[in-house]
Amino acid sequence: MPRVLAVDVGSSSVRAQVHDETGMPAGEEVQLPYETTDPAEVARHEPLAAVGAACFGHSLIALDRHGRPLTPVLMWRDARSAAHARELAARVPDLHARTGCFPHSSYWPAKLAWLRDEERETFAAAARFVSFAEYLYERVLGERVPTSVSMASSTGLLNLRTSAWDAELAEALDVSGRLPEISDHPLGDPPWYPALFDGLASNVGAGCTGPRRAALSVGTSGALRTLAERASLE
């Protein structure tokens, strides 16, 4: 019977469990802190049909041309870019309508503007900017990986009309050509599907996949989310 490895990447540990073709658990859940975690190690013990993951969103890492981190993981609660978020709100009044994300220090535009202005050498040396999900996958698979539409939507840089990076915003922030490819196609054998934003996965897992039901997540942070059939761009 086909086996699928599900990986949940949290802010302090990673959990992994193998499921059968019906979606039911087919083994014990493994939970390990990041210092000793290698999701690939779990995969080696089972003949798998696929691997999927959910990962915390809004994280940002600058990588050099060899894929090595130039920054720590900049998390959603890092508020050093708050002033840059306010400047973006004034300069790009339709940012929320374009990206679905308000100008806020949690999202990439403010963080990238802060890096550009306050950490100039690091910003200039960065070959790519990725989330922790892409960095983790690259370490496991040994190759550059795309970001999912789901994860890209949590950055504040995805244009909702095109499902691509907002070209005008990327150019203004001087990151054009330094953002990951956006794709939901898997890589490797067995196929590893690009990680989903954990907020979305929480809603789907709880059956809250429409506007009339909401999923409440209580973890390092709290969130109440609903899913709409289409984004409002008004």
Side-chain angles (χ1 to χ4, degrees), residues 135-223:
Y135 177 68
L136 176 64
Y137 267 45
E138 288 187 22
R139 290 293 301 271
V140 172
L141 298 177
E143 60 180 299
R144 189 175 299 190
V145 301
T147 188
S148 65
V149 174
S150 168
M151 192 61 71
S153 72
S154 75
T155 65
L157 259 174
L158 183 75
N159 187 297
L160 296 180
R161 291 190 183 278
T162 64
S163 292
W165 299 119
D166 189 290
E168 181 181 346
L169 192 55
E171 183 176 357
L173 294 168
D174 194 22
V175 294
S176 297
R178 295 197 280 176
L179 300 174
E181 176 190 357
I182 300 174
S183 174
D184 288 329
H185 293 295
L187 295 172
D189 183 20
W192 286 65
Y193 286 84
L196 300 176
F197 172 42
D198 63 356
L200 170 65
S202 174
N203 273 66
V204 173
C208 299
T209 56
R212 301 185 65 180
R213 299 185 67 186
L216 175 63
S217 297
V218 181
T220 308
S221 64

Side-chain angles (χ1 to χ4, degrees), residues 35-173:
E35 289 79 6
T36 59
T37 293
D38 181 359
E41 187 64 29
V42 181
R44 293 189 187 104
H45 297 291
E46 288 278 351
L48 298 173
V51 179
C55 183
F56 58 86
H58 319 310
S59 63
L60 177 66
I61 308 173
L63 302 179
D64 67 13
R65 62 189 182 90
H66 300 293
R68 297 174 301 206
L70 296 171
T71 64
V73 183
L74 303 180
M75 299 287 285
W76 60 268
R77 57 184 176 270
D78 185 336
R80 289 176 292 178
S81 61
H84 290 82
R86 292 191 291 271
E87 293 173 7
L88 279 167
R91 288 170 43 207
V92 191
D94 63 342
L95 186 63
H96 179 234
R98 283 158 59 175
T99 68
C101 297
F102 289 102
H104 194 275
S105 59
S106 291
Y107 302 120
W108 282 21
K111 282 184 165 57
L112 289 167
W114 176 81
L115 280 171
R116 180 194 59 198
D117 295 344
E118 305 298 331
E119 302 286 341
R120 296 181 181 179
E121 290 186 5
T122 298
F123 186 83
R128 292 182 290 137
F129 297 96
V130 301
S131 76
F132 183 75
E134 291 87 66
Y135 177 68
L136 176 64
Y137 267 45
E138 288 187 22
R139 290 293 301 271
V140 172
L141 298 177
E143 60 180 299
R144 189 175 299 190
V145 301
T147 188
S148 65
V149 174
S150 168
M151 192 61 71
S153 72
S154 75
T155 65
L157 259 174
L158 183 75
N159 187 297
L160 296 180
R161 291 190 183 278
T162 64
S163 292
W165 299 119
D166 189 290
E168 181 181 346
L169 192 55
E171 183 176 357
L173 294 168

